[in-house]
């Protein structure tokens, strides 16, 4: 963490080298520099290793640091069949950004009624204040409304 707080170019270069060598502990410190030139390395790390659930914090770090510039990487990582918890975090960051891709993923996962269903419902309730105490049905309706897909009348 000392490297990160210095913001020196030497520290930045060393931390970047650590990430290039596959040292995951350097991902968050590298993102802390908020250098747009680091986004492709950080984003490709997520995309290439999306199935690795120990990268769960990376989607949030990418979106909070790089905002909309991180969205293409998050979308690619989501399509790379990420692990259960990584996919939840990627989808959540995309939903926070207002991306239909995140909502579409969540709608599919919730409809499949697998283990990701409750993970996503709880994550959505935790990040959208208007849904904190909402029923699961209201959360599902909230997600479906934002998929960008036309809903069939009942």
């Amino acid at each position: 963490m000392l490297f990160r707080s210095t913001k020196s170019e030497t520290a930045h270069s060393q931390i970047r080298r650590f990430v290039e060598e596959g040292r995951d502990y350097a991902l968050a410190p590298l993102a802390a520099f908020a250098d747009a030139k680091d986004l492709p390395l950080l984003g490709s790390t997520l995309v290439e290793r999306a199935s690795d659930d120990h990268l769960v914090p990376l989607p949030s770090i990418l979106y909070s640091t790089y905002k909309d510039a991180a969205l293409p990487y998050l979308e690619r990582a989501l399509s790379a069949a990420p692990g259960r918890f990584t996919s939840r975090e990627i989808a959540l960051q995309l939903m926070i950004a207002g991306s239909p891709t995140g909502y579409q993923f969540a709608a599919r996962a919730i409809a499949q009624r697998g283990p990701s269903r409750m993970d996503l419902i709880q994550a959505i309730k935790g990040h959208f204040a208007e849904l904190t105490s909402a029923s699961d049905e209201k959360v599902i309706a909230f997600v479906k409304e934002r998929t960008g897909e036309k809903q069939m009348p009942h």
Side-chain angles (χ1 to χ4, degrees), residues 13-23 26 30 41 45:
S13 296
Q14 182 61 46
I15 293 170
R16 185 177 173 86
R17 189 168 28 260
F18 289 157
V19 170
E20 290 167 342
E21 293 170 357
R23 300 180 189 188
L30 183 61
L41 174 60
T45 298

Side-chain angles (χ1 to χ4, degrees), residues 19-79:
V19 170
E20 290 167 342
E21 293 170 357
R23 300 180 189 188
D24 295 340
Y25 62 80
L27 292 165
L30 183 61
F33 283 93
D35 184 335
K37 290 181 255 167
D38 295 327
L39 179 57
L41 174 60
L42 293 165
S44 66
T45 298
L46 179 62
V47 171
E48 291 166 11
R49 296 183 35 222
S51 65
D52 192 344
D53 262 340
H54 80 270
L55 295 180
V56 169
L58 192 52
S60 176
I61 291 168
L62 289 178
Y63 184 66
S64 66
T65 303
Y66 298 102
K67 301 293 182 216
D68 289 351
L71 297 181
Y73 296 100
L74 295 172
E75 289 172 350
R76 278 196 299 259
L78 193 58
S79 69

